[in-house]
Amino acid sequence: MSAAQTFWIDGHRATSLPLPDRGLDFGDGLFETLLGVNGRVPFLALHMDRLTRGLKVLGFPDVTDLAHKYLNMALSELDSEARAIRLTVTRGSALRGYAPPQEASPRIIISVSPLAWNPLRTTSPAELGVADIRWSNQPVLAGIKHLNRLEQVLAAGQRVAQGWDEAVMLDDEGLPLSVVSGNLFIVKDARLLTPPLERCGIAGTRRALIVERWQDQLGLEVKVERFTLAELEAATEVFYCNSLLGFQPVGIFGSTSWTSQAVCSSVQKLYMEAIQCGDC
């Protein structure tokens, strides 16, 4: 644990997790990765909406308001530096065994960590590889950000070993679904495509900005549509997104390279303007 990290459990500063905890025992919980800028979280409503959906799917009591309260307590102690914030909700303590308790008392954990980069600056184009491990189908859990992330853990290990900046993760049919830590977009025939997430994957908050809010401003038709690895390689442009990076252009994938990142630059400009003017 880095000394630069700060933790709160149920609204109190803490350095250890009370046991037992079903989040540790079974991955029985949810989390949100948040960007902290100037003591606030951009697009917080999108995060809290996804958390609320996840609480319903897992059958948790609705602790969204309490999580919001504890998050504000943590934010009040931050300075203007950018931070990575993780909000975790577990089902809390219970007797052993898979079956959840009839009356759970969720535990809310908040961690705050420094960022090694400026999240409001566009970074150099990334190099992508393809992860060997694929997403497994589970429509009930698709879209939400639950604690069971072993597929991504293994894919991230391969990414590091291969020296890639990110890795494309495929679905069970061998079609691109995401990158390890974000949602994937390609530009094809003047359309902006991103894979559907009804069977697996995470419905990212930055993905939602493009799919639900910014279509008219981009001047491109945005489609939630499956595409192949060959179509990815033949795309006019490729980028991915998450809450800490924003929108990341891709420069190299296999034998293909891209020198134009015009669409990603336009999206990132909209993103930075929204954050800086507080329109989020």
Side-chain angles (χ1 to χ4, degrees):
M1 179 180 68
S2 167
Q5 288 183 293
T6 310
F7 297 87
W8 288 260
I9 297 179
D10 293 333
H12 301 284
R13 285 286 191 103
T15 57
S16 59
L17 178 67
L19 297 177
D21 187 274
R22 288 183 60 89
L24 177 62
D25 291 343
F26 306 115
D28 189 3
L30 304 153
F31 74 103
E32 292 289 327
T33 302
L34 313 170
L35 173 65
V37 180
N38 296 324
R40 63 187 183 89
V41 176
F43 311 106
L44 179 59
L46 293 175
H47 288 283
M48 301 310 283
D49 286 348
R50 183 173 59 188
L51 178 65
T52 299
R53 292 196 303 272
L55 293 171
K56 290 179 180 177
V57 169
L58 297 187
F60 278 36
D62 186 358
V63 294
T64 308
D65 289 344
L66 190 58
H68 205 160
K69 174 185 174 181
Y70 292 158
L71 177 61
N72 284 335
M73 291 170 60
L75 289 172
S76 69
E77 298 189 28
L78 300 186
D79 54 28
S80 60
E81 295 295 319
R83 296 287 191 272
I85 303 171
R86 175 169 165 140
L87 168 62
T88 303
V89 181
T90 78
R91 206 181 296 263
S93 299
L95 298 175
R96 68 169 305 278
Y98 286 131
Q102 292 185 349
E103 295 185 8
S105 297
R107 182 167 286 139
I108 299 171
I109 305 164
I110 295 171
S111 66
V112 178
S113 308
L115 276 176
W117 64 88
N118 184 339
L120 301 182
R121 287 184 181 173
T122 302
T123 56
S124 299
E127 179 180 359
L128 297 185
V130 178
D132 293 333
I133 190 167
R134 298 183 177 186
W135 284 99
S136 56
N137 285 341
Q138 180 44 268
V140 172
L141 300 177
I144 66 173
K145 204 161 185 179
H146 56 79
L147 292 180
N148 295 268
R149 305 262 63 99
L150 284 178
E151 293 156 334
Q152 289 160 279
V153 168
L154 295 178
Q158 183 183 6
R159 174 191 66 77
V160 172
Q162 295 292 337
W164 304 323
D165 296 306
E166 252 295 359
V168 175
M169 292 187 67
L170 310 178
D171 64 17
D172 67 333
E173 296 182 18
L175 297 178
L177 188 93
S178 70
V179 293
V180 176
S181 300
N183 294 116
L184 185 63
F185 286 85
I186 69 169
V187 180
K188 178 189 176 186
D189 300 330
R191 298 187 305 158
L192 187 54
L193 307 182
T194 189
L197 304 171
E198 288 86 2
R199 299 186 301 167
C200 53
I202 298 172
T205 58
R206 275 47 178 178
R207 175 183 183 270
L209 293 173
I210 294 179
V211 173
E212 300 171 11
R213 295 189 185 182
W214 291 347
Q215 291 198 41
D216 292 341
Q217 291 157 279
L218 291 173
L220 286 173
E221 182 184 14
V222 178
K223 297 286 289 184
V224 177
E225 183 175 301
R226 303 175 88 190
F227 51 82
T228 65
L229 277 173
E231 288 175 306
L232 192 158
E233 287 192 89
T236 305
E237 188 175 334
V238 178
F239 63 89
Y240 57 89
C241 57
N242 66 37
S243 60
L244 297 183
L245 282 175
F247 298 86
Q248 171 64 48
V250 173
I252 300 174
F253 176 63
S255 60
T256 304
S257 61
W258 292 271
T259 57
S260 173
Q261 287 87 30
V263 175
C264 185
S265 295
S266 296
V267 175
Q268 184 73 356
K269 182 180 179 183
L270 285 172
Y271 179 67
M272 290 190 288
E273 288 174 350
I275 291 177
Q276 290 168 344
C277 75
D279 184 23
C280 54

